[in-house]
């Protein structure tokens, strides 16, 4: 009796921890799994009973012009935003961490402010701004506003990477005869490469997932989140939305795990690989 | 190293050149922020203080405070503000209740599962929020799976309507939307703790509750304040979740802004409401930031 109680007491914390983790995972991913499951149900009502397996909702989604346009629009906008954010954000991060000049504090503060102000308010401000200056809303205005809220995130992630790594290495490279360009290529890039990779993934996801800003700053052309929102405002749940959502969720899962595998390879050379990786994964916390 | 040859000091650059490098690196990003972030904010501020065309404004700028006073004194909006506060606070508390033990498990008990669990948390955040809201709406509806399941097991014989289009639904969806940003700062604070302090507490005769209250919580307090800073502000300004699962009882301040701006086209009052929410966010951020700092100094 005694050993059993003892063993139980020793195992209990681990068991409780396991149950907690399992509970959180079920709550976070269970609904999305159900959504995916019901995209294969042969019934226009999303509920039990199970009527049989079908892929017709996927065919319907594929031939649904609005859905396809929305996804394509989101992909185009997110790609442009990602590329420009990484370029502008890396430039700004380098300027803010490596150059001394007057007004540096103001610019750093402005970058930080963008990350704290809620997207709803930036979205409304953008709408009012564009209407006051007489610019009509379109995918271009969405892209511009996404860029403005996204590149400061890249600045934050890449700056953190640049601060972590020692400047004396740059000076050593220059002392040993490297040119400015060689120093950047062979000393700085390998060090901040993982940060830039992480930043680009987050930048793409921020733009692709952004609803508030796209909603207030978009015209007739919808992005994917705006399309889902407008469908759900108008009607009951639709299996076609299940199908499109499943494809998107699957792609996002693949992207996150792919990025993880890639970063694992990039950071393997360093000793503190997993620490760095955790830092990068969590660095995008808004 | 420097004893061999000391290079002659470079000639001082002319004044104008000192600005060249900062300008090259920061010119475009800063211009973008000034024109498309600060610009819209200032225009919105102006519009909030302007008498709109709907109220007989003449097109030129007419300074007025009526937009603010109308929004603040409206009893309906006050009720919505209370609802918003209740929902955001309930969602925040629910998240903290899960996040603190979860962060503890990840930091101290998970072993080799640590990184995979963190990765799944990141994944939960990267999933499209609209997909997540839709998934919940599908589960919680009158004919949704949860009601179907409950009726089949025989817990209820009628569907529970309050599952969807209620404050409960909004709280649940919001709590699952931001959990990543609640857990990770607390996890960060826990990683910084030397696990020996728990053993020391146990050796000194403290039970788990005393250890949690007197040792763990004070040490992770800065992390909790960072979580509050990151999560509470987006929670109280959210408008997609209440719009899709809130119905009329889960109507929040974000919906007020949306309705003012897009439904009634009243940019002036919409701007005033946005400014008020911005000020509230800033005040909240200031308090949380101070508390996080003070705690760091003490510990």
């Amino acid at each position: 009796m005694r050993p059993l109680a003892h063993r139980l007491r020793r195992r209990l914390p681990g068991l409780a921890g396991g149950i907690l983790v399992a509970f959180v995972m079920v709550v976070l991913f269970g609904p999305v799994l159900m959504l995916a499951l019901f995209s294969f149900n042969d019934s226009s009502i999303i509920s039990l009973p199970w009527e049989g397996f079908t892929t017709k909702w996927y065919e319907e989604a594929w031939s649904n012009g609005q859905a396809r346009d929305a996804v394509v629009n989101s992909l185009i906008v997110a790609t442009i935003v990602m590329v420009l954010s990484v370029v502008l954000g890396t430039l700004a991060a380098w300027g803010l961490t490596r150059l001394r000049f007057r007004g540096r504090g103001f610019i750093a503060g402005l970058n930080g402010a963008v990350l704290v102000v809620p997207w709803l308010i930036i979205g409304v401000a953008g709408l009012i701004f564009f209407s006051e200056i007489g610019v009509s809303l379109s995918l271009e205005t969405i892209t511009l506003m996404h860029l403005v809220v996204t590149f400061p995130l890249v600045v934050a992630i890449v700056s953190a990477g640049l601060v972590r790594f020692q400047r004396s290495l740059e000076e050593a490279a220059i002392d040993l005869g490297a040119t400015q360009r060689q120093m950047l290529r062979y000393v700085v890039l390998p060090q901040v490469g993982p940060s830039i990779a992480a930043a680009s993934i987050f930048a793409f996801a921020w733009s692709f997932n952004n609803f508030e800003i796209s909603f207030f700053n978009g015209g007739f052309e919808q992005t994917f989140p705006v399309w889902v929102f407008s469908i759900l405002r108008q009607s009951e749940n639709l299996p076609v939305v299940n199908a499109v959502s499943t494809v998107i969720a699957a792609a996002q899962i693949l992207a996150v795990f792919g990025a993880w595998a890639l970063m694992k390879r990039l950071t393997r050379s360093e000793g503190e690989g997993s620490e760095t990786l955790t830092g990068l994964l969590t660095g995008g916390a808004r | 190293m420097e004893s061999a040859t000391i290079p002659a000091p470079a000639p001082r650059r002319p004044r104008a050149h000192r600005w060249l490098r900062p300008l090259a690196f920061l010119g475009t990003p800063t211009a973008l922020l000034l024109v498309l972030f600060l610009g819209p904010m200032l225009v919105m501020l102006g519009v909030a203080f302007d008498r709109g065309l709907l109220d007989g404004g003449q097109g030129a700028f007419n300074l007025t405070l009526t937009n603010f006073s109308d929004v603040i004194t409206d009893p309906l909006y006050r009720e919505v503000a209370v609802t918003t506060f209740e929902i955001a606070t309930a969602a925040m508390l629910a998240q903290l209740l899960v996040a603190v033990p979860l962060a503890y498990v990840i930091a101290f008990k998970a072993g080799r599962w640590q990184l995979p669990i963190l990765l799944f948390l990141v994944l939960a955040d990267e999933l499209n929020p609209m997909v997540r809201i839709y998934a919940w709406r599908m589960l919680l509806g009158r004919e949704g799976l949860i009601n179907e399941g409950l009726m089949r097991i025989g817990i209820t014989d009628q569907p529970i309507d309050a599952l969807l289009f209620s404050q409960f639904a909004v709280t649940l969806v919001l709590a699952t939307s931001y959990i990543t940003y609640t857990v990770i700062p607390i996890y960060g604070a826990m990683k910084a703790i030397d696990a020996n302090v728990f053993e020391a507490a146990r050796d000194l005769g403290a039970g788990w509750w005393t250890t949690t209250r007197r040792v763990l919580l004070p040490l992770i307090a800065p992390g909790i304040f960072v979580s509050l800073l990151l999560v509470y502000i987006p929670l109280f300004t959210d408008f997609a979740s209440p719009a899709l699962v809130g119905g009329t009882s889960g109507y929040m301040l974000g919906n007020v802004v949306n309705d003012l701006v897009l439904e009634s086209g009243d940019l002036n009052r919409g701007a005033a409401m946005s400014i008020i929410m911005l000020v509230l966010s800033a005040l909240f951020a200031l308090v949380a930031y101070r508390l996080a700092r003070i705690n760091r100094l003490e510990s």
Side-chain angles (χ1 to χ4, degrees):
Chain A
M1 194 66 205
R2 186 106 178 253
L4 181 72
H6 184 68
R7 244 165 48 205
L8 205 64
R9 199 179 306 157
R10 244 187 37 200
R11 287 272 174 85
L12 216 55
L15 194 68
I19 291 173
L20 178 69
V21 171
F23 166 75
V24 171
M25 292 303 153
V26 166
V27 172
L28 287 183
F29 297 104
V32 181
L33 284 177
M34 283 299 165
L35 175 148
L37 194 65
F38 276 87
S39 70
F40 295 107
N41 188 17
D42 195 2
S43 157
S44 56
I45 303 162
I46 305 169
S47 190
L48 293 171
W50 183 261
E51 302 281 6
F53 181 85
T54 178
T55 53
K56 72 173 178 195
W57 303 121
Y58 286 86
E59 286 154 31
E60 206 168 295
W62 182 252
S63 55
N64 181 329
Q66 262 191 335
R68 225 167 50 192
D69 287 350
V71 173
V72 169
N73 285 342
S74 274
L75 287 174
I76 293 173
V77 169
T79 308
I80 297 173
V81 167
M82 177 183 76
V83 171
L84 292 180
S85 293
V86 167
V87 173
L88 292 178
T90 309
L91 278 177
W94 182 266
L96 286 173
T97 52
R98 292 297 192 267
L99 304 178
R100 293 277 163 272
F101 57 95
R102 271 176 66 187
R104 198 180 142 271
F106 171 73
I107 296 178
L110 206 55
N111 270 286
V114 179
L115 296 177
V116 194
V117 176
W119 280 348
L120 170 76
I121 289 166
I122 298 181
V124 171
L127 172 85
I128 293 175
F129 176 72
F130 288 125
S131 91
E132 290 284 313
I133 64 170
V135 171
S136 56
L137 300 173
S138 62
L139 281 184
E140 282 86 23
T141 49
I142 293 181
T143 311
L144 276 174
M145 293 309 283
H146 278 196
L147 180 62
V148 168
V149 298
T150 307
F151 89 79
L153 174 77
V154 179
V155 176
I157 298 176
V158 176
S159 300
L162 282 169
V163 167
R164 221 176 12 237
F165 130 77
Q166 293 181 337
R167 275 194 82 172
S168 55
L169 289 174
E170 292 164 32
E171 284 154 17
I174 297 286
D175 283 349
L176 291 170
T179 64
Q180 190 82 16
R181 182 168 302 189
Q182 284 172 326
M183 182 268 281
L184 284 175
R185 169 69 186 80
Y186 294 107
V187 179
V188 178
L189 193 63
Q191 291 280 346
V192 295
S195 306
I196 294 177
S200 37
I201 294 160
F202 282 117
F204 187 90
W206 267 32
S207 171
F208 190 88
N209 287 343
N210 186 305
F211 167 69
E212 285 92 342
I213 290 174
S214 310
F215 184 68
F216 283 106
N217 292 288
F220 288 110
E221 297 147 305
Q222 294 175 318
T223 62
F224 168 70
V226 176
W227 174 74
V228 177
F229 184 83
S230 63
I231 294 270
L232 294 185
R233 287 294 274 182
Q234 286 159 16
S235 59
E236 274 301 299
N237 307 339
L238 292 172
V240 177
V241 183
N242 281 50
V244 184
S245 299
T246 305
V247 174
I248 298 288
Q252 288 181 317
I253 292 168
L254 279 178
V256 167
F257 280 92
W260 184 55
L262 192 76
M263 301 233 279
K264 218 166 147 184
R265 282 183 56 182
L266 279 174
T267 52
R268 194 186 286 161
S269 48
E270 295 170 45
E272 7 95 64
S274 85
E275 285 295 313
T276 319
L277 203 59
T278 321
L280 286 176
L281 284 177
T282 53
R286 177 172 143 89
Chain B
M1 181 169 75
E2 286 181 16
S3 60
T5 50
I6 299 173
R12 247 187 94 118
R13 288 187 190 173
R15 269 191 88 81
H17 279 196
R18 269 196 281 165
W19 288 100
L20 230 52
R21 272 161 63 90
L23 194 68
F25 283 105
L26 291 159
T28 319
T30 308
L32 209 58
L33 289 181
L34 289 177
V35 176
L36 288 174
F37 174 67
L38 210 56
M41 286 295 164
L42 293 176
V43 170
M44 182 166 76
L45 194 67
V47 169
F49 282 105
D50 187 17
R51 188 186 301 276
L53 294 171
L54 293 175
D55 299 325
Q58 302 303 314
F61 184 77
N62 295 297
L63 182 70
T64 179
L65 288 172
T66 49
N67 299 321
F68 285 97
S69 58
D70 284 357
V71 166
I72 290 172
T73 53
D74 192 314
L76 177 71
Y77 293 166
R78 233 181 258 177
E79 226 170 275
V80 175
V82 172
T83 313
T84 307
F85 173 76
E86 285 170 2
I87 292 178
T89 308
M92 192 72 233
L93 286 178
Q95 288 183 76
L96 285 175
L97 227 52
V98 173
V100 171
L102 183 65
Y104 180 83
V105 170
I106 304 173
F108 297 114
K109 302 282 174 206
R112 66 199 168 87
W113 289 98
Q114 189 171 328
L115 209 53
I117 297 175
L118 284 173
L119 192 66
F120 272 103
L121 282 175
V122 172
L123 178 64
D125 176 62
E126 297 300 299
L127 279 180
N128 196 292
M130 219 41 82
V131 171
R132 182 170 39 221
I133 296 173
Y134 174 57
W136 277 114
R137 192 165 127 144
M138 195 189 82
L139 288 184
L140 296 172
R142 210 185 140 81
E143 275 109 36
L145 285 180
I146 292 179
N147 267 326
E148 280 283 331
L150 288 179
M151 288 196 311
R152 262 176 208 219
I153 310 171
I155 292 180
T156 56
D157 44 2
Q158 275 187 354
I160 307 169
D161 280 323
L163 282 183
L164 189 61
F165 303 128
S166 61
Q167 293 196 19
F168 165 78
V170 185
T171 309
L172 178 65
V173 171
L174 286 179
T176 55
S177 299
Y178 294 98
I179 190 78
T180 311
Y181 299 121
T182 315
V183 174
I184 281 173
I186 298 175
Y187 162 80
M190 288 205 186
K191 281 305 268 187
I193 299 176
D194 180 356
N196 285 327
V197 297
F198 299 126
E199 214 164 301
R202 195 166 344 118
D203 287 349
L204 292 170
W208 73 270
W209 173 236
T210 313
T211 311
T212 304
R213 200 167 52 87
R214 302 284 298 273
V215 180
L216 184 69
L217 284 181
L219 284 175
I220 61 165
I224 293 182
F225 289 122
V226 173
S227 294
L228 284 175
L229 196 62
L230 289 175
V231 176
Y232 198 82
I233 294 171
L235 274 181
F236 105 94
T237 56
D238 198 286
F239 104 94
S241 310
L244 292 180
V245 301
T248 44
S249 61
Y251 192 79
M252 288 170 75
L253 286 176
N255 305 97
V256 171
V257 172
N258 174 44
D259 287 355
L260 280 173
V261 171
L262 292 182
E263 306 285 321
S264 26
D266 189 346
L267 294 188
N268 305 82
R269 286 190 185 77
M273 191 56 143
S274 302
I275 298 284
I276 292 171
M277 288 170 79
L278 188 63
V279 170
L280 287 177
S281 312
L283 284 177
F284 181 81
L286 208 66
V287 171
Y289 186 69
R290 276 284 160 82
L291 287 171
R293 282 275 287 259
I294 286 169
N295 254 283
R296 196 163 293 162
L297 287 182
E298 279 175 355
S299 61

